[in-house]
Amino acid sequence: MANLRFEVVAEAFKKKPLEVLAPIERPSEFFGKNVFNRAKMYKYLPRDVYEKLIDVIDNGARLDRSIADAVAKGIKQWADENGVTHYTHWFQPLTEGTAEKHDAFIEHDGKGGMIEEFSGKLLVQQEPDASSFPNGGIRNTFEARGYSAWDPTSPVFIIDDTLCIPTIFISYTGEALDYKAPLLRSIHAVSEAATEVCHYFYPDVKKVVSNLGWEQEYFLVDEGLYSARPDLMLTGRTLMGHDSAKNQQMDDHYFGAIPERVQAFMKDLEIQALELGIPCKTRHNEVAPNQFELAPIFEEMNIAIDHNMLLMSLMKKVARRHGFRVLLHEKPFAGVNGSGKHNNWSLSTDTGILLHGPGKTPEDSLRFIVFIVETLVAVYKHNGLLKASIMSATNAHRLGANEAPPAIISSFLGHQLSEILQHIETSDKDELFNVAGKQGMKLDIPEIPELLIDNTDRNRTSPFAFTGNRFEFRAVGSEANSASAMIVLNTAVAEALQNFKTRVDALIANGLDKISAIIEVVRDDVKYCKPIHFEGNGYSEEWVEEAKRRGLDCETSCPKVFERYLDEDSIRMFESQNVMTRKELEARNEVKWETYTKKIQIEARVFGDLSMNHIIPVCTHYQSQLAKNVQSMYDIFPKDQADKLTSRNKKIIEEIAERTQLIESGVEELVEARKVANRIEDEHLKAIAYHDTVAPKMDEIRYQIDKLELIVSDELWTLPKYRELLFIR
């Protein structure tokens, strides 16, 4: 076994980059090649059908099913020209991944042969089996019917020989069984509420668009080493492993030169992503060894989330071509940075106004402050719910550790904006003001041009930071579907804006002028949401105590955090904004608790297997070798001399005996804790039991295993070590 590990490591060092043949064209020329985008709609659809479809996409008009056949015909013609033979409704169930059922373009022709066919009915609707997807009790196993329905606002695309149609996924009785349906409702809710508030400043605004720019962090591991680590294969993270002597402490990997093999992978990934319309913009080394990041240009939120889900699937496939495995787990390695997916969120109008961007006039600045403050109101009122939206069994390992934000939601605004809000709070005048944009900074180096400095710094410990013209929600996990967090954020902001407008209109109806009414309500809201505003170090113990005093949600137990979805304030918010019903929320929480339990359960089973079948046999084998050596020393040397010569080995033998005994008893306790938890029928209580009694046992056992890794002979250790997993090139 030991030789196999060395062979795998040696093979990894030998690997050369796979040659990637880039398209001859510039990216702008092959971007969207495999997407049925507007240009292709214009080419393949009749003019009246094209205009009706664009009206649906741009203006939210109701889809006329009478045009479905014409759209399907145009899509089929395009698909035929690209060698497509199958189609699928591509949806996002509550598994954090995507799902698809492929059907061929064939039907009986009535003459004993086959014809290729794709109708509007097949485009608009499909019936995947809903019984085996997570549903939280909405559907029984014997009630299998579920429907996927075409989302025309997200373009159809081709992967290999299959036409992929983005869809929502609902149960037979109409409840959402996916992320996209409530996401679309939340996008509509915030657009409607924000548009109404915009009319105070810009009467010609017709709609508000939610924008999202995600930053995807990930690790790459050599495929051979990955295959030699059962814990990585089955859980996505290393359940054991001592720190490498060198990891990220020198900060030399961050923004460093990209390794040649990784560069080849990135190039291949970007080409395929660009062909699918994913606007990849940025790539770089992240802080931890073998950790990297990819980020696109901002997009409309629904499309951005579809693109992120598509990219995560694509990068796994491309990585294997290059001899890598992608790790999207939030904390695959202890002691180094975990991976997040920073969600840069903003609102803009159909007239081109960025609502979270500073304006040039006093009235523009007031608009800016209104949207900043009402966003803070939403985040403050539902800070526990926002935390629940990003919490998971995997992300819980990352939050609060190695540059990840803590599990307490707060918002950083920067010096300038903080001063303005303080001025509004303390001033007794209804006065307008200007908010500065970027300022010039001249350096004392003649060759260096003037720099434009943002109106706010960055705070890497803030979960929800304002960064100049957007908010960066940094707590979202690497493998998560970003829709979970965005559904909550959009809905909470919609509620806050709606409430804001109701109060302003009431003051205006009582005779106050518009500007004075707006400022008065903003002043009240600045005072109300003040507890969420924090500019300091989110990692400090002082902040935890301060956050408790401020009334912020400081719960860290994942199953208990999920309870925030079922708070009456949360249910009232979701139902009032027509995003999710109480029944849907209760079902989703059942799924969350069950998913949490299953992930910890799998980890515990893998952990017990590795402990008993890998670690203990290796350690006892080494112990036997040492014992033989000690015995041999007594056979050769006088007792006094042998006592001295064998003292070190005796200590190691004793330490191995003590630690393996603790491991064995720990595994027994782990198994028993799992059995006790498994007998609990209530999913909520079972998840709490797994959090409180099962997960801590693994931490205790891991401590012993990691200590043994340091003293057992390297040639006997069967599992690739951190120094090999993190530094193979």
Side-chain angles (χ1 to χ4, degrees):
M1 291 295 293
N3 288 337
L4 176 60
R5 170 180 150 233
F6 290 147
E7 288 171 10
V8 169
V9 173
E11 186 63 29
F13 274 112
K14 292 178 186 176
K15 287 185 177 175
K16 300 296 181 185
L18 185 70
E19 185 178 0
V20 179
L21 299 177
I24 296 173
E25 307 95 338
R26 294 180 177 180
S28 59
E29 295 173 351
F30 65 83
F31 178 75
K33 171 186 171 184
N34 294 326
V35 181
F36 195 70
N37 53 23
R38 292 183 187 228
K40 296 185 181 74
M41 291 178 194
Y42 188 83
K43 177 180 178 181
Y44 289 95
L45 301 181
R47 182 60 59 85
D48 62 324
V49 173
Y50 169 81
E51 290 174 352
K52 288 181 180 179
L53 186 56
I54 292 301
D55 191 31
V56 171
I57 296 170
D58 286 349
N59 304 316
R62 184 167 293 278
L63 178 66
D64 183 354
R65 286 192 67 148
S66 65
I67 71 170
D69 281 332
V71 174
K73 183 179 179 181
I75 291 175
K76 176 66 163 52
Q77 182 183 348
W78 171 67
D80 285 343
E81 292 172 7
N82 285 275
V84 172
T85 58
H86 290 68
Y87 69 93
T88 182
H89 276 201
W90 183 81
F91 57 97
Q92 300 167 27
L94 303 178
T95 59
E96 301 297 328
T98 58
E100 50 199 65
K101 179 187 75 170
H102 295 207
D103 287 319
F105 289 129
I106 57 170
E107 296 291 341
H108 286 293
D109 65 358
K111 303 174 183 178
M114 289 285 184
I115 58 172
E116 293 185 345
E117 185 177 88
F118 183 59
S119 65
K121 178 183 177 182
L122 299 177
L123 168 66
V124 170
Q125 183 175 318
Q126 197 177 43
E127 187 186 325
D129 184 342
S131 63
S132 296
F133 287 107
N135 61 71
I138 284 180
R139 310 293 293 147
N140 291 313
T141 302
F142 58 86
E143 298 172 312
R145 197 181 296 276
Y147 296 111
S148 54
W150 175 38
D151 170 19
T153 63
S154 186
V156 171
F157 55 91
I158 294 171
I159 293 184
D160 298 326
D161 63 352
T162 302
L163 179 74
C164 300
I165 304 160
T167 63
I168 65 168
F169 181 45
I170 61 172
S171 72
Y172 178 71
T173 47
E175 292 89 3
L177 295 174
D178 69 342
Y179 283 104
K180 182 182 276 283
L183 175 71
L184 291 173
R185 293 178 196 146
S186 77
I187 289 171
H188 176 75
V190 76
S191 176
E192 196 172 70
T195 299
E196 290 296 313
V197 173
C198 272
H199 287 164
Y200 288 136
F201 308 97
Y202 321 110
D204 56 339
V205 169
K206 293 185 175 63
K207 72 171 184 177
V208 169
V209 178
S210 304
N211 304 304
L212 175 63
W214 42 264
E215 303 167 25
Q216 181 68 60
E217 295 175 342
Y218 61 95
F219 281 84
L220 287 176
V221 174
D222 188 273
E223 188 164 28
L225 296 173
Y226 172 88
S227 300
R229 289 286 310 221
D231 49 354
L232 273 182
M233 292 176 64
L234 298 176
T235 73
R237 75 179 181 108
T238 52
L239 299 176
M240 54 192 68
H242 199 280
D243 286 351
S244 171
K246 179 185 184 299
N247 47 51
Q248 67 185 47
Q249 64 265 55
M250 298 300 294
D251 296 323
D252 52 343
H253 189 257
Y254 191 46
F255 280 22
I258 299 171
E260 193 177 5
R261 280 180 65 200
V262 177
Q263 181 93 346
F265 156 76
M266 288 179 168
K267 182 177 180 180
D268 198 358
L269 175 63
E270 286 177 9
I271 290 168
Q272 295 188 46
L274 288 164
E275 289 179 343
L276 286 166
I278 304 171
C280 299
K281 175 76 172 178
T282 302
R283 65 190 185 198
H284 63 82
N285 290 3
E286 256 300 333
V287 175
N290 280 12
Q291 187 187 32
F292 308 94
E293 181 178 295
L294 182 151
I297 300 171
F298 279 54
E299 297 180 282
E300 185 277 326
M301 181 177 288
N302 179 38
I303 294 175
I305 288 174
D306 279 1
H307 280 168
N308 182 241
M309 298 304 293
L310 179 56
L311 180 95
M312 288 194 291
S313 176
L314 181 64
M315 68 197 311
K316 292 175 184 177
K317 182 173 73 172
V318 175
R320 296 195 69 172
R321 268 177 37 86
H322 293 263
F324 289 120
R325 286 298 185 112
V326 167
L327 303 181
L328 292 175
H329 192 290
E330 282 79 5
K331 198 74 171 178
F333 303 103
V336 297
N337 273 26
S339 293
K341 179 149 50 198
H342 304 169
N343 278 211
N344 294 279
W345 172 85
S346 65
L347 300 174
S348 60
T349 70
D350 58 324
T351 58
I353 299 164
L354 185 62
L355 297 181
H356 290 111
K360 296 182 179 179
T361 67
E363 193 164 277
D364 244 2
S365 292
L366 179 59
R367 175 270 307 161
F368 166 69
I369 291 297
V370 165
F371 278 91
I372 292 293
V373 171
E374 294 314 309
T375 299
L376 294 178
V377 166
V379 173
Y380 173 53
K381 183 177 181 182
H382 297 288
N383 70 92
L385 180 61
L386 273 168
K387 180 164 64 177
S389 75
I390 55 87
M391 187 63 86
S392 67
T394 54
N395 203 24
H397 291 288
R398 163 182 168 260
L399 295 178
N402 298 94
E403 281 202 2
I408 301 171
I409 300 297
S410 65
S411 186
F412 169 83
L413 301 177
H415 179 70
Q416 183 192 8
L417 193 50
S418 297
E419 280 195 342
I420 291 172
L421 295 192
Q422 186 176 11
H423 175 71
I424 293 171
E425 178 187 356
T426 56
S427 174
D428 57 357
K429 298 179 181 178
D430 295 338
E431 56 186 353
L432 291 174
F433 42 81
N434 273 321
V435 179
K438 294 190 176 186
Q439 305 294 312
M441 175 190 284
K442 291 185 178 179
L443 303 177
D444 293 330
I445 307 173
E447 296 84 0
I448 303 299
E450 182 181 57
L451 301 181
L452 291 178
I453 305 302
D454 287 286
N455 56 17
T456 174
D457 199 352
R458 287 180 181 266
N459 185 326
R460 309 307 292 178
T461 71
S462 176
F464 195 81
F466 182 68
T467 57
N469 58 11
R470 64 192 183 276
F471 282 96
E472 184 181 22
F473 197 4
R474 302 186 66 248
V476 182
S478 173
E479 68 178 358
N481 186 326
S482 293
S484 177
M486 295 299 100
I487 289 166
V488 174
L489 182 58
N490 284 344
T491 310
V493 171
E495 179 193 56
L497 289 170
Q498 204 173 70
N499 180 265
F500 170 83
K501 186 174 188 303
T502 298
R503 289 179 291 146
V504 170
D505 286 351
L507 291 176
I508 293 173
N510 287 332
L512 202 61
D513 68 274
K514 181 181 72 173
I515 297 299
S516 295
I518 290 172
I519 292 175
E520 184 172 325
V521 174
V522 165
R523 181 176 293 120
D524 288 342
D525 285 350
V526 168
K527 295 174 182 177
Y528 168 75
C529 68
K530 195 172 182 179
I532 204 71
H533 179 196
F534 178 64
E535 302 287 298
N537 179 10
Y539 287 159
S540 68
E541 290 297 324
E542 291 79 10
W543 165 234
V544 175
E545 295 305 315
E546 173 64 20
K548 289 177 183 176
R549 284 194 291 272
R550 294 185 184 194
L552 301 182
D553 193 309
C554 298
E555 181 61 66
T556 57
S557 167
C558 196
K560 291 181 180 178
V561 170
F562 291 150
E563 295 170 11
R564 300 288 72 75
Y565 272 97
L566 300 181
D567 288 346
E568 286 304 316
D569 276 351
S570 301
I571 295 171
R572 192 180 305 112
M573 177 192 78
F574 282 119
E575 290 192 329
S576 69
Q577 301 303 318
N578 194 33
V579 173
M580 282 188 280
T581 65
R582 180 186 293 268
K583 184 178 180 181
E584 287 173 318
L585 289 165
E586 289 173 346
R588 279 162 194 265
N589 257 34
E590 286 291 307
V591 172
K592 287 177 181 293
W593 286 320
E594 187 178 357
T595 300
Y596 178 86
T597 296
K598 287 178 177 177
K599 287 196 172 185
I600 304 301
Q601 186 181 69
I602 291 169
E603 286 190 353
R605 293 175 68 179
V606 172
F607 194 88
D609 174 59
L610 286 177
S611 298
M612 301 306 294
N613 295 320
H614 282 254
I615 304 305
I616 288 182
V618 166
C619 293
T620 53
H621 180 58
Y622 182 55
Q623 188 182 42
S624 296
Q625 288 184 346
L626 293 178
K628 288 179 182 178
N629 176 268
V630 169
Q631 186 61 52
S632 298
M633 297 295 269
Y634 278 100
D635 291 341
I636 297 171
F637 298 102
K639 183 179 182 304
D640 289 348
Q641 189 175 1
D643 285 343
K644 293 179 182 179
L645 294 174
T646 59
S647 60
R648 178 181 176 275
N649 283 356
K650 286 177 182 176
K651 287 179 182 178
I652 296 175
I653 291 169
E654 185 178 359
E655 183 176 351
I656 290 174
E658 290 173 352
R659 294 193 185 281
T660 53
Q661 187 176 24
L662 289 170
I663 291 169
E664 287 185 12
S665 60
V667 170
E668 289 176 4
E669 292 172 8
L670 178 65
V671 171
E672 184 58 31
R674 211 172 70 231
K675 287 179 179 179
V676 171
N678 289 342
R679 288 195 286 269
I680 301 173
E681 293 186 5
D682 182 277
E683 290 295 344
H684 182 200
L685 297 178
K686 184 188 290 187
I688 291 174
Y690 262 88
H691 176 274
D692 293 349
T693 65
V694 177
K697 297 289 183 190
M698 290 191 284
D699 293 335
E700 294 168 9
I701 301 167
R702 176 176 183 156
Y703 176 80
Q704 305 300 332
I705 293 173
D706 291 354
K707 290 294 185 182
L708 286 170
E709 183 182 320
L710 291 177
I711 62 174
V712 172
S713 173
D714 187 60
E715 67 177 358
L716 295 179
W717 202 259
T718 58
L719 302 175
K721 298 183 177 182
Y722 272 25
R723 67 168 185 260
E724 297 155 355
L725 291 165
L726 288 170
F727 292 97
I728 295 297
R729 293 291 184 263

